[in-house]
């Protein structure tokens, strides 16, 4: 049976189908999402430290009492650790298969996460808002980027933060993140990314401002093939993250 994605101008059914087909492998560190498992510790640390500083929080569960939306949550690789840090987490994804995988894993881990098959537009139309919105590795897959980010902006509470992680549109990213990752190293299935949808930082920042947010930080992330690890860097040519607030 073919899965039907929620209707929204930003949803590309082909992109939803692509990730739905891999849904069972989200939690396999040696599977098709292995690169994301490698990348996860760096982005988790960045989110935790940036949010803790912004909200003035410390401790093992620094974010008790705060809400977080993980848009495009996939199998829950970010939603689960964010829950353990104290956030009341809502995970949203247009893929029903992704959400079912996330719900099953969270239940097995004893974590209460509000997972929903929905879109940013639907959540915004319902009047929901969160202290933190995670928008990680999503914007390069949406069909209507301005409309999508406008909806995401409405989901950020006054005084809240949104984290956006994506890929820069450069020849370097074409060589490394597209050709190298998908066709040479085979870290991801060929066709996972469309380089034409990669987003330059200046464009992303402009769209975030149009959505009513103020940009606080742009952070590069680089992969070291010698140590086989990711780290924060000043290089935004391939992977980067933007922090914006309302």
């Amino acid at each position: 049976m073919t899965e039907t994605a929620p209707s929204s101008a930003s949803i590309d059914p082909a992109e939803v189908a692509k990730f739905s087909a891999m849904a069972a492998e989200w939690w396999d560190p040696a599977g098709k999402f292995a690169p994301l498992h490698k990348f996860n510790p760096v982005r988790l640390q960045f989110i935790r430290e940036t949010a803790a500083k912004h909200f003035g929080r410390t401790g093992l569960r620094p974010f008790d009492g705060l809400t977080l939306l993980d848009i495009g949550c996939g199998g829950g690789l970010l939603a689960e650790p964010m829950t353990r840090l104290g956030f009341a987490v809502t995970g949203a994804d247009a893929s029903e298969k992704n959400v079912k995988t996330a719900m099953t894993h969270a239940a097995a881990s004893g974590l209460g996460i509000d997972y929903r098959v929905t879109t940013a537009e639907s959540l915004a139309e319902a009047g929901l808002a969160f202290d933190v919105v995670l928008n990680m590795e999503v914007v390069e897959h949406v069909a209507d980027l301005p409309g999508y980010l406008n909806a995401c902006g409405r989901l950020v509470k006054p005084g809240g933060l949104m984290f956006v992680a994506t890929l820069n549109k450069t020849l370097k990213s074409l060589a490394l993140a597209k050709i190298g990752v998908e066709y040479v190293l085979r870290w991801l299935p060929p066709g996972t990314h469309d380089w034409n949808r990669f987003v330059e930082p200046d464009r992303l920042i402009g769209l975030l401002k149009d959505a009513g947010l103020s940009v606080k930080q742009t952070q590069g992330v680089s992969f070291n093939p010698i140590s086989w690890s990711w780290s924060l860097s000043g290089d935004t040519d391939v992977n980067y993250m933007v922090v914006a607030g309302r």
Side-chain angles (χ1 to χ4, degrees):
M1 184 173 63
T2 302
E3 178 181 3
T4 302
S7 178
S8 165
S10 70
I11 297 297
D12 183 335
E15 292 293 301
V16 175
K18 187 188 300 178
F19 285 91
S20 293
M22 300 186 285
E25 298 194 46
W26 273 106
W27 288 95
D28 181 0
K32 291 177 181 176
F33 293 102
L36 204 52
H37 282 269
K38 284 283 187 183
F39 187 35
N40 220 27
V42 173
R43 61 181 187 167
L44 282 171
Q45 182 180 359
F46 179 74
I47 293 165
R48 175 176 180 159
E49 292 180 354
T50 304
K53 182 177 180 180
H54 177 78
F55 292 107
R57 298 297 188 95
T58 58
L60 294 176
R61 289 177 56 90
F63 306 116
D64 276 326
L66 297 179
T67 58
L68 180 144
L69 171 66
D70 184 8
I71 248 313
C73 63
L77 297 187
L78 286 171
E80 290 199 10
M82 290 295 111
T83 300
R84 291 189 175 96
L85 288 173
F87 281 113
V89 174
T90 298
D93 202 287
S95 165
E96 183 179 359
K97 290 183 179 179
N98 282 348
V99 169
K100 285 182 177 178
T101 296
M103 290 176 69
T104 300
H105 197 275
S109 303
L111 297 174
I113 299 173
D114 180 10
Y115 282 118
R116 307 183 186 190
V117 182
T118 188
T119 65
E121 290 88 343
S122 294
L123 293 171
E125 287 167 10
L128 298 180
F130 303 83
D131 296 298
V132 174
V133 174
L134 300 185
N135 209 326
M136 312 297 278
E137 289 78 42
V138 177
V139 298
E140 67 269 24
H141 299 288
V142 303
D144 174 15
L145 188 54
Y148 170 75
L149 287 176
N150 183 269
C152 289
R154 290 157 55 198
L155 291 167
V156 182
K157 285 183 180 181
L161 292 177
M162 180 157 70
F163 293 81
V164 185
T166 191
L167 291 151
N168 199 347
K169 190 177 181 182
T170 61
L171 291 177
K172 185 175 177 180
S173 71
L174 175 62
L176 298 179
K178 176 62 182 176
I179 299 171
V181 166
E182 295 182 17
Y183 295 96
V184 179
L185 297 172
R186 296 283 177 169
W187 284 354
L188 291 173
T192 298
H193 289 108
D194 179 355
W195 181 78
N196 293 304
R197 287 187 172 178
F198 288 9
V199 187
E200 302 91 335
D202 287 348
R203 183 184 178 216
L204 179 59
I205 288 169
L207 290 172
L208 290 171
K209 289 179 178 178
D210 290 344
L213 302 176
S214 60
V215 173
K216 299 179 176 294
Q217 184 178 355
T218 300
Q219 177 65 60
V221 189
S222 298
F223 180 73
N224 185 327
I226 298 174
S227 61
W228 211 250
S229 63
W230 290 89
S231 62
L232 301 180
S233 75
D235 184 358
T236 61
D237 287 348
V238 182
N239 293 83
Y240 69 97
M241 295 184 282
V242 173
V243 183
R246 179 175 292 287

